[in-house]
Amino acid sequence: MSSMHLAHLRKWIVQSPPVEWAISHVRELLIGALRQGPVPQHVAFVMDGNRRFARSHQIETVEGHNLGFEALAKVLEVCYKSGVKVVTIYAFSIENFKRSKYEVDALMDMARVKLSQLAQHGDLLDRYGASIRILGQRELVKPDVLQAIDRAVELTSRNGQAILNVCFPYTSRDEITTAIRNTVIDYSKPLPPLQRPFSEARITHNIRNRHLATATARGRAPSPSSGGTSDTEDSASTSTTLHPDSPPQNTSPNSDAEKHIASNYPDPETITPEILDDHMFTAGTPPLDLLVRTSGVERLSDFMLWQCHQNTEIVFLGCMWPEFDLWTFLPVMVEWQWRRKKVEEREKALGDRSGRKKVQKIK
């Protein structure tokens, strides 16, 4: 019996009412067990293997992508039920425009239809309070697809409990380039003038001039032993006395002007990784905790390169994306929880050890 017939038989058995009822209850128990431990707040998926799945099952490539979308809907439900706040999916790479026009058009049409389905009132995202965000270059998308994208974003914009980031069309290098470009633009704009009732520099200058005038006046006062001061001395003394309200003397006009111009712009030395974070497409979302890629390929393919940090768990699975479900995802989540608990225990032990050292030093 071919693998396709076995798949249909397995699907028929799984969809029978008694088996479906039992599986549903087991699913709820497993998801409830996941919620008892630490849960990743941000999970990303590289949904790879749709075309190979279609070829291996002798079906159309577009049908493989449709099955991949059904797998995504199931995984999203598992994530949101278990407490994940942000899910980011690699839906379409900018490099995918190099594929055949037939496949690119089919992917665009499928995105238009599936995003509309996801955003429908009462559907998956609305049930879990998740909003859609599109990360990527909008100008590369066809107008009819862009209209559907904007409508899906608008329909889910009031949902505030979770987020679905759809990278479409996207590459990480393009995201980083865009973030740096926007940062340069922001740092090229002059700072707004400070709205202060008094100028600190002006007040300091006036006080210094008054002290100087008082000291000069005391030095010119006639003493009993001296008959008075000459006109020349008086003239010289007067010429060195500054009026209290006179403007500050500019000893080097060029350098002062340059300093004034430079002070009107943000200092590039203040650019930090946090500043670049704020200019990324994923700004405002939690750090990436877990990244999963299916199909057995072990590379990131220009996805979330900036967001991956020292604590991000990267998992490569051998199954194709249409085969990815709770039973494949559950071991990944359990292993992440186990590793996270180990990290927390290690951090706690280090904290206790440093605390004891401080106590010993005090004694």
Side-chain angles (χ1 to χ4, degrees), residues 132-144:
I132 294 177
R133 295 182 184 177
I134 305 298
L135 314 183
Q137 296 298 335
R138 292 169 52 91
E139 62 271 13
L140 300 178
V141 182
K142 296 193 300 183
D144 58 333

Side-chain angles (χ1 to χ4, degrees), residues 185-359:
I185 292 173
D186 287 348
Y187 273 69
S188 300
K189 297 176 181 178
L191 294 170
L194 296 176
Q195 301 296 327
R196 294 181 178 176
F198 301 101
S199 171
E200 294 181 7
R202 184 74 177 180
I203 294 172
T204 304
H205 173 71
N206 288 342
I207 292 174
R208 187 183 297 116
N209 285 345
R210 285 194 177 94
H211 288 170
L212 181 60
T214 304
T216 306
R218 289 175 180 173
R220 290 191 297 115
S223 61
S225 60
S226 61
T229 59
S230 65
D231 292 339
T232 306
E233 291 175 351
D234 184 69
S235 171
S237 176
T238 306
S239 64
T240 58
T241 303
L242 295 177
H243 192 275
D245 294 327
S246 64
Q249 292 181 343
N250 191 355
T251 57
S252 54
N254 291 334
S255 62
D256 287 350
E258 290 173 0
K259 289 180 181 178
H260 177 70
I261 292 173
S263 64
N264 285 341
Y265 290 86
D267 184 4
E269 296 296 331
T270 62
I271 296 177
T272 61
E274 289 73 25
I275 295 292
L276 293 180
D277 274 336
D278 294 338
H279 288 83
M280 292 291 164
F281 295 154
T282 55
T285 59
L288 183 60
D289 296 314
L290 177 63
L291 189 149
V292 179
R293 176 167 186 161
T294 55
S295 81
V297 177
E298 298 185 0
R299 62 174 183 265
L300 295 180
S301 295
D302 210 353
F303 178 60
M304 306 292 281
L305 300 182
W306 177 268
Q307 288 78 8
C308 289
H309 54 89
Q310 68 274 13
N311 294 324
T312 302
E313 291 284 339
I314 302 176
V315 180
F316 299 105
L317 300 175
C319 66
M320 302 301 164
W321 178 253
E323 301 169 328
F324 190 72
D325 56 8
L326 171 65
W327 314 108
T328 316
F329 189 38
L330 184 64
V332 175
M333 290 285 282
V334 171
E335 184 176 0
W336 183 89
Q337 290 183 333
W338 180 80
R339 291 179 182 274
R340 187 63 186 171
K341 288 180 179 179
K342 289 293 183 183
V343 171
E344 291 176 354
E345 290 175 359
R346 188 160 53 247
E347 290 176 350
K348 184 179 179 182
L350 289 174
D352 293 342
R353 192 176 305 147
S354 62
R356 286 196 297 269
K357 287 182 179 179
K358 289 181 180 178
V359 172

Side-chain angles (χ1 to χ4, degrees), residues 168-187:
F168 178 90
Y170 169 95
T171 61
S172 190
R173 286 176 297 173
D174 177 74
E175 178 187 20
I176 295 172
T177 303
T178 303
I180 294 174
R181 184 187 304 116
N182 292 336
T183 303
V184 171
I185 292 173
D186 287 348
Y187 273 69

Side-chain angles (χ1 to χ4, degrees), residues 147-183:
Q147 184 178 2
I149 287 174
D150 291 338
R151 177 167 174 77
V153 172
E154 173 62 26
L155 287 174
T156 61
S157 60
R158 296 175 182 81
N159 298 337
Q161 297 180 12
I163 296 172
L164 172 61
N165 289 326
V166 182
C167 297
F168 178 90
Y170 169 95
T171 61
S172 190
R173 286 176 297 173
D174 177 74
E175 178 187 20
I176 295 172
T177 303
T178 303
I180 294 174
R181 184 187 304 116
N182 292 336
T183 303

Side-chain angles (χ1 to χ4, degrees), residues 91-139:
F92 193 89
S93 170
I94 295 176
E95 299 297 322
N96 287 348
F97 283 109
K98 297 178 181 178
R99 296 181 180 180
S100 66
K101 185 178 184 303
Y102 169 76
E103 186 177 356
V104 171
D105 291 342
L107 287 172
M108 289 289 177
D109 291 339
M110 186 180 68
R112 176 174 53 81
V113 174
K114 299 304 183 181
L115 279 175
S116 300
Q117 291 178 358
L118 275 177
Q120 284 177 356
H121 181 72
D123 212 331
L124 176 67
L125 298 182
D126 200 55
R127 288 204 309 270
Y128 295 102
S131 60
I132 294 177
R133 295 182 184 177
I134 305 298
L135 314 183
Q137 296 298 335
R138 292 169 52 91
E139 62 271 13

